[in-house]
Amino acid sequence: MQDLRITIIQTALHWQDATANRAMFSEKLAAVAPATDLIVLPEMFTTGFSMQASELAEEAEGPTLQWMKVEAARYNAVLTGSVIVKEGENYYNRLYWVRADGTHEHYNKRHLFRMAKEHHSYTAGKEKLLVELKGWNICPLVCYDLRFPVWSRNMNSQYDLLLYVANWPKPRNYAWSTLLQARAIENLSYVVGVNRVGTDGNGHPYTGDSAIIHPKGHKLLETAEAEGVHTITLTKQELTDFREAFPAHLDADDFTLN
């Protein structure tokens, strides 16, 4: 069983300026440890959490995806984070999962944050994404999805790592931190949550609080309210041993999603 090295980047974002954000992340990526497997950026990392979908959206194969392919190849790692994408007549808050060889997959955010009227600007996704990396099964989700345990549920131990990219503001940071731990405990899974810091163009402050959570619920990594690039190694054997010693997943309720 292979361990998994994960790098998270917590930073402020240039409001609605994709070019500036891509340049900024290129600089920060230079601080990544020499060898990592997965690099995680925040939600809407090229714009901040904006509802100006028609003005800011890129085509599905647009410049940010091309940039992600270049950077993934440069660091020989998977690069993931979400951006605003137009496909057909619809706009999506789309997470890209980009591999070093240039192949990629995506997940469209399922739960749209109605308090910011996200559901008026974007179309909700319908399918979860499960990806494999170094023998790890990973489920990447986006921000508000964290509040919905049914969607996040680890049915039949499908995944080993649950991942959330976010723009989760300061007034609700207690919910962010608490729910990350809850998702780890109930799903017997590692959980990674990557948030931003700073203040966005709407005046909303963010305290980061990015974290990596052990399946037992304690924090393996917790960031301060500051920009930073952090790398940590997760141990697959430790997860396997815990599931064997405490197989609560065998008593989970069966259900289907509509």
Side-chain angles (χ1 to χ4, degrees):
M1 295 184 184
Q2 298 187 71
D3 292 343
L4 187 69
R5 284 179 62 80
I6 298 179
T7 298
I8 66 173
I9 300 182
Q10 177 172 284
T11 183
L13 300 173
H14 299 282
W15 183 243
Q16 299 184 162
D17 190 336
T19 300
N21 282 308
R22 287 193 295 266
M24 178 266 292
F25 277 109
S26 289
E27 291 181 2
K28 291 186 181 296
L29 284 167
V32 170
T36 193
D37 302 307
L38 173 60
I39 302 168
V40 188
L41 310 183
E43 177 186 25
M44 289 194 185
F45 68 87
T46 59
T47 58
F49 190 60
S50 174
M51 299 303 104
Q52 304 303 313
S54 60
E55 291 83 359
L56 299 173
E58 301 180 12
E59 296 298 323
E61 297 289 329
T64 296
L65 178 58
Q66 302 310 313
W67 172 85
M68 293 179 77
K69 290 181 179 182
V70 170
E71 298 295 345
R74 187 192 314 277
Y75 295 98
N76 192 32
V78 169
L79 184 61
T80 191
S82 88
V83 298
I84 302 171
V85 171
K86 183 177 189 294
E87 193 167 74
E89 298 303 314
N90 297 318
Y91 298 95
Y92 297 98
N93 184 345
R94 174 169 292 179
L95 177 143
Y96 280 117
W97 181 270
V98 182
R99 302 179 184 88
D101 64 3
T103 60
H104 66 277
E105 298 181 63
H106 70 262
Y107 163 74
N108 295 323
K109 185 179 181 182
R110 162 87 166 191
H111 297 94
L112 303 177
F113 189 57
R114 70 174 54 249
M115 282 63 84
K117 296 182 171 56
E118 188 180 11
H119 59 306
H120 290 172
S121 299
Y122 299 91
T123 298
K126 297 179 180 179
E127 301 293 334
K128 288 169 74 172
L129 174 64
L130 291 171
V131 287
E132 185 275 336
L133 177 60
K134 292 186 68 176
W136 291 67
N137 294 320
I138 302 171
C139 178
L141 299 175
V142 180
C143 202
Y144 192 43
D145 288 331
L146 176 62
R147 286 186 176 269
F148 300 93
V150 173
W151 185 244
S152 301
R153 190 68 177 170
N154 195 6
M155 294 288 289
N156 301 314
S157 298
Q158 289 178 313
Y159 60 75
D160 308 303
L161 171 64
L162 183 59
L163 186 155
Y164 296 93
V165 303
N167 272 215
W168 195 290
K170 179 179 180 179
R172 294 181 291 279
N173 61 358
Y174 182 78
W176 163 258
S177 296
T178 302
L179 291 173
L180 286 174
Q181 291 178 284
R183 297 293 87 84
I185 292 167
E186 70 194 11
N187 291 302
L188 300 178
S189 170
Y190 288 103
V191 170
V192 172
V194 178
N195 196 18
R196 60 161 294 179
V197 294
T199 302
D200 70 17
N202 292 319
H204 299 306
Y206 299 83
T207 54
D209 304 300
S210 298
I212 298 179
I213 315 296
H214 188 276
K216 293 181 180 179
H218 61 267
K219 294 179 180 179
L220 299 171
L221 173 69
E222 184 177 22
T223 62
E225 187 181 346
E227 296 189 349
V229 178
H230 307 274
T231 299
I232 189 171
T233 299
L234 303 184
T235 304
K236 184 71 173 294
Q237 186 64 55
E238 191 169 345
L239 172 64
T240 301
D241 290 346
F242 176 56
R243 285 176 171 173
E244 289 178 354
F246 193 80
H249 59 287
L250 298 180
D251 300 312
D253 300 306
D254 291 329
F255 61 89
T256 58
L257 288 170
N258 295 326

